Amino acid sequence: MLLLFLSFLLFTSFPLSLSLNQEGLYLLQLKSSFSDSDSALSSWNSRDPTPCNWHGVSCDGASGSVTSLDLSNANLAGPFPSVLCRLHNLSYISFYYNNINSTIPDISTCRNLVHLDLSQNLLTGDLPHTLADLPNLKYLDLTGNNISGDFPASFGRFQKLEVLSLVYNLLDGTIPAFLGNISTLRMLNLSYNPFSPGRIPPELGNLTHLEILWLTECNLVGEIPDSLGRLKRLNDLDLAINHLVGSIPSSLAELVSVVQIELYNNSLTGELPRGFSNLTNLRLLDASMNRLTGKIPDELTRLSLESLNLYSNKFEGTLPPSIADSPALYELRIFQNRLTGELPQNLGKISPLRWFDVSSNQFTGPIPPSLCEKGRLQEMLMIYNSFSGQIPSSLEQCRSLNRIRLGHNKLSGEIPTRFWGLPHVYLLELVNNSFSGHIGKSIANAKNLSLLIISRNQFNGSLPEEIGLVGKLAKFSASNNKFNGVLPKSIVKLDGLGILDLQGNELEGGLPSGIDSLKKLNELNLADNKFSGEIPDEIGSLSVLNYLDLSDNQLTGRIPLGLQNLKLNQLNLSDNLLSGELPPLFDKEAYKNSFLGNPDLCGNFSVSCDKRDEDKHKGYVWLLRSIFVLAALVFIVGVVWFYLKYRNYKKAKAIDKSKWTLMSFHKLGFSEYEILDCLDEDNVIGKGASGKVYKVVLSNGEAVAVKKLWGGVQKGCDNVDIEKGMAQAESPVRDDGFQAEVETLGKIRHKNIVKLWCSCTTRDCKLLVYEYMPNGSLGDLLHSCKSGLLDWPTRYKIILDAAEGLSYLHHDCVPPIVHRDVKSNNILLDGDFGARVADFGVAKVVDAAGKVAKSMSFIAGSCGYIAPEYAYTLRVNEKSDIYSFGVVILELVTGRLPIDPGFGEKDIVKWVCTTLDQKGADYVVDSKLDPCFKEEIYKVLNIGLVCTSPLPINRPSMRRVVKMLQEAGAENQLKGTKKDGKLTPYYYEDGLDQGSVA
Ligand SMILES: *[C@@H]1O[C@H](CO)[C@@H](O)[C@H](O)[C@H]1NC(C)=O
């Protein structure tokens, strides 16, 4: 009985713990030292006899003692558990991706430790010198912590260390020479630390087992030591983003195992070294963004390079003929250099080229006929050079081709017949050359051809009937050639056709019937041809048509009333033989340039009928006219009298409305005068660098936002004196740049872009009338006391909307539009917090080459949003918009201003990066946001970080950004909220195609 009682007592007061072995007890001690918010250690309990079945624990089969502990990715927080060293057989520890936030203690008693992975934690303090005392340590990874200070001298004494990775810490000493003593080292990875300026120790050349040497962004100065050439096993050398000077040592040609060399973004000078021919494994050489000069050495060309990236150097010279001998070269991208001379004519004979981009150089001579000899060539990008001669007939067999851009060269002759019909080509661009001949009938085989752009050549003959078989054709642009004959009837079968531009040819005959089956047609330009007959009435049912130019033809008959149904941005029927009454919608000032030069057309406002009509009843008309003239005289006298009166009465407020030029892009439900009357200081709702914004409530109850741009002249718009107005009317000064831009912007139709209703201009002042957005700008809302309205789902939606708007500008507008001033104040919110991108105040239309229109002469962008490369290139392109957009993302996630006194010297981008590194993501995210969206917020934050990459090339395209944002949102909806975690970088393969904007 007593025994029974005792054993009962035993069992209840020490419940089961008696059975757990000592190692298990140590581990429970570890468990208690951690905060385990995800219950990752829930399987760790004292009821088991051994810990061997616990999560993350592995034991030796024979002895049953713990050999390995893998608690990666478990959201554990707390100090590093020194108790682990009591597990004598422990050889493997991984706490990768947790929140261990102490210093690294002395763990030299972990005698059997081989593998220690503490990467992606919050460790602080110095590197403990005792780490080198671990006799068996082979693997030490402390990547992504906050370890600071210098390397302890003991680090030269590791006995077996093979991997040392300290990437993304706060080490601020220099890279010491004694690292060259760790002769067992295979991987040395010290990238991204704020080291003091220092040289690459030549002693690193002693690490003859080294396979990977990553010293990216380590504040390296001086020259690359010759001794690195001794690293015979090295396959990856990355010295990018440092301050290295001098030339690339020729000893690098002795790195016989090397696969990848990255030297980009340094200040290296001289030529690429000779003797690279030994590097038979080299696949990638990136020496972009240095100051290299001279020619590309012959040796390089015999390599099996997959990628040769020499972007943005100063190579001036020729491409050596031996580049053609490269046995495995399949990607050659040498765009945007200053290479000259001819391409080697046997290029492609040996190399199985796939991607070939030599755009934007100064090459001359013919296209090498063997380019596609291996039958692999997919992309052939040769725009902006001075290539001459014909397209080699051998290329008509190149069925692998899918993207061909030969524009802006001096090519001539006829296109090989079957070249027109290559089955996989979706883009064929031959613009601005001197090609001649017909479009081959074989084009019927071009089943994937979507963009056919052959403007500005000497093509002739008639358009083949077969064009109607190119079922995927979306854009056919053949302006300024010598095509003649009639339009093929089959053209109306192209139901995907969006743009048909045949301006400036010698085409004749009538417009085809059944044109209304071109349901996607939004631009029809047949100007400057010899078309005759009537404009078909069906044209009015092309519901998405918004650009119609039929000017300068011989069209007759009436203007079809159906045209009034269309929402046209551009309508030009001038210089034809049209007759009859103008449809009422068009009988307005706004359309006065649309119908010029049609002598038989009648309308009140813009055109008046020719005398011929009146000849028939001359006398009658004479009487009528006299009466009319008399009445008009009386009327004019009256008006003048009234006007003088009025001027005296209200001189200060007078606006000379007569000299306003109105350009409208939508059917307007208001008149410009109504707006002019309301530009009162009381109605100002905003003020920016480019002008004031007014809210104008129209008589129909609708509101519009009117932006008044500051004029060049000091005088405001409100009090322009009449004399000056008159003088102007006589010698009108037109700002064509502005007009052209506004016209482009007016054409844009997208749900995430603020609608521009119209513009009114005088010399002194320009008004832009936009739709009114009741919730104002994102910036104002986010940084005001009302930011509580913006919960995470709203912020997410806003950012996605804005991304779609920008993506539209970048990818769907032709030519692409760079916004140039993306910021939270330019993202406006409608009544439902739907976001629209606004204020193209400084947006310019860029041409396909990415050159900024010449009217650009002021600094683009706003403080805190300007991409770093702008400081040295003064060029903006889509990538600078993406940077600014990234800043907006960071703003939304953090709730902070892009420039905040609290950041010190830093801007938001630097602040986010350092805070993430030092404190973790929780310190970055706006505390007003509900933590249950944490995971999605982190993902979006991540996207913001990718967009703000310092190197433009690393920023994803806007299209990709939209996709990433959608993925970030979609996953959350599927999985619900998950554990908190640190950020892992996004990888993407976008952005290498800079030389070939499609
Ligand atoms: C480490 O993290 C734990 C748990 O989150 C926290 O209680 C503790 O204060 C942190 N210690 C340091 C030094 O930050």
Side-chain angles (χ1 to χ4, degrees), residues 662-663 665-666 668 670-672 675-676 679 694 696 698 703-708 742 754-760 766-772:
L662 178 86
M663 215 187 325
F665 309 105
H666 297 258
L668 300 180
F670 53 87
S671 88
E672 60 273 34
I675 286 169
L676 293 175
L679 295 186
Y694 301 77
V696 172
L698 303 165
V704 292
V706 181
K707 178 155 202 169
K708 189 163 89 182
V742 165
V754 173
K755 270 199 204 73
L756 178 59
W757 290 121
C758 65
S759 81
C760 324
K766 302 174 166 78
L767 300 182
L768 297 173
V769 181
Y770 292 99
E771 64 179 323
Y772 177 68

Side-chain angles (χ1 to χ4, degrees), residues 2-313:
L2 183 70
L3 204 72
L4 213 78
F5 174 70
L6 267 181
S7 59
F8 177 70
L9 196 77
L10 223 68
F11 270 95
T12 47
S13 54
F14 307 101
L16 307 171
S17 66
L18 281 181
S19 58
L20 183 59
N21 68 15
Q22 184 58 47
E23 290 198 326
L25 290 173
Y26 288 142
L27 287 174
L28 284 187
Q29 209 175 318
L30 173 152
K31 177 178 175 178
S32 65
S33 74
F34 276 139
S35 131
D36 176 16
S37 47
D38 287 357
S39 306
L41 305 181
S42 58
S43 62
W44 292 30
N45 66 76
S46 48
R47 291 182 298 277
D48 296 329
T50 73
C52 297
N53 290 324
W54 293 356
H55 170 70
V57 179
S58 313
C59 298
D60 177 53
S63 68
S65 71
V66 177
T67 52
S68 152
L69 182 62
D70 182 353
L71 292 176
S72 51
N73 214 342
N75 204 19
L76 299 170
F80 182 88
S82 321
V83 66
L84 282 181
C85 288
R86 304 226 178 149
L87 305 175
H88 289 295
N89 287 315
L90 194 60
S91 65
Y92 182 105
I93 299 177
S94 173
F95 281 113
Y96 161 72
Y97 209 166
N98 282 284
N99 300 307
I100 298 180
N101 59 358
S102 63
T103 56
I104 304 173
D106 179 359
I107 54 169
S108 53
T109 53
C110 283
R111 303 303 289 178
N112 284 312
L113 198 57
V114 174
H115 183 111
L116 178 59
D117 184 352
L118 301 177
S119 57
Q120 306 294 355
N121 278 283
L122 304 167
L123 294 162
T124 55
D126 291 341
L127 289 168
H129 66 92
T130 50
L131 281 175
D133 299 335
L134 294 169
N136 294 304
L137 193 64
K138 287 187 179 169
Y139 184 101
L140 177 58
D141 190 349
L142 302 176
T143 296
N145 281 285
N146 299 323
I147 296 167
S148 52
D150 219 332
F151 285 87
S154 67
F155 266 44
R157 296 197 296 268
F158 279 106
Q159 292 163 36
K160 295 187 179 167
L161 195 66
E162 295 178 2
V163 172
L164 177 59
S165 184
L166 300 170
V167 183
Y168 283 118
N169 274 285
L170 303 170
L171 297 171
D172 49 13
T174 53
I175 298 175
F178 54 72
L179 292 184
N181 296 339
I182 316 176
S183 56
T184 48
L185 218 48
R186 290 192 293 117
M187 171 169 163
L188 179 59
N189 192 350
L190 307 178
S191 301
Y192 306 108
N193 275 285
F195 289 117
S196 317
R199 292 166 181 272
I200 301 174
E203 289 79 0
L204 295 188
N206 299 339
L207 300 172
T208 49
H209 289 90
L210 209 58
E211 291 163 16
I212 294 175
L213 179 58
W214 282 347
L215 301 176
T216 324
E217 210 171 337
C218 284
N219 207 359
L220 297 172
V221 299
E223 304 196 357
I224 301 174
D226 281 337
S227 64
L228 292 191
R230 303 214 301 270
L231 305 175
K232 298 288 181 259
R233 298 199 184 167
L234 198 65
N235 56 51
D236 192 345
L237 174 64
D238 189 343
L239 305 175
I241 324 182
N242 282 293
H243 312 286
L244 295 167
V245 296
S247 54
I248 300 173
S250 55
S251 68
L252 293 194
E254 292 155 29
L255 297 171
V256 288
S257 308
V258 82
V259 174
Q260 195 164 330
I261 299 179
E262 275 148 299
L263 304 172
Y264 61 85
N265 219 336
N266 276 288
S267 302
L268 298 167
T269 50
E271 305 191 0
L272 280 177
R274 312 269 144 182
F276 267 31
S277 50
N278 299 333
L279 305 184
T280 48
N281 295 310
L282 193 62
R283 290 286 184 281
L284 183 149
L285 173 60
D286 191 341
S288 338
M289 292 177 273
N290 277 288
R291 298 179 192 159
L292 301 169
T293 49
K295 297 184 184 182
I296 299 174
D298 293 2
E299 287 90 348
L300 257 193
T301 65
R302 284 196 286 273
L303 301 175
S304 25
L305 279 180
E306 287 171 14
S307 171
L308 172 59
N309 189 355
L310 303 172
Y311 173 69
S312 197
N313 273 291

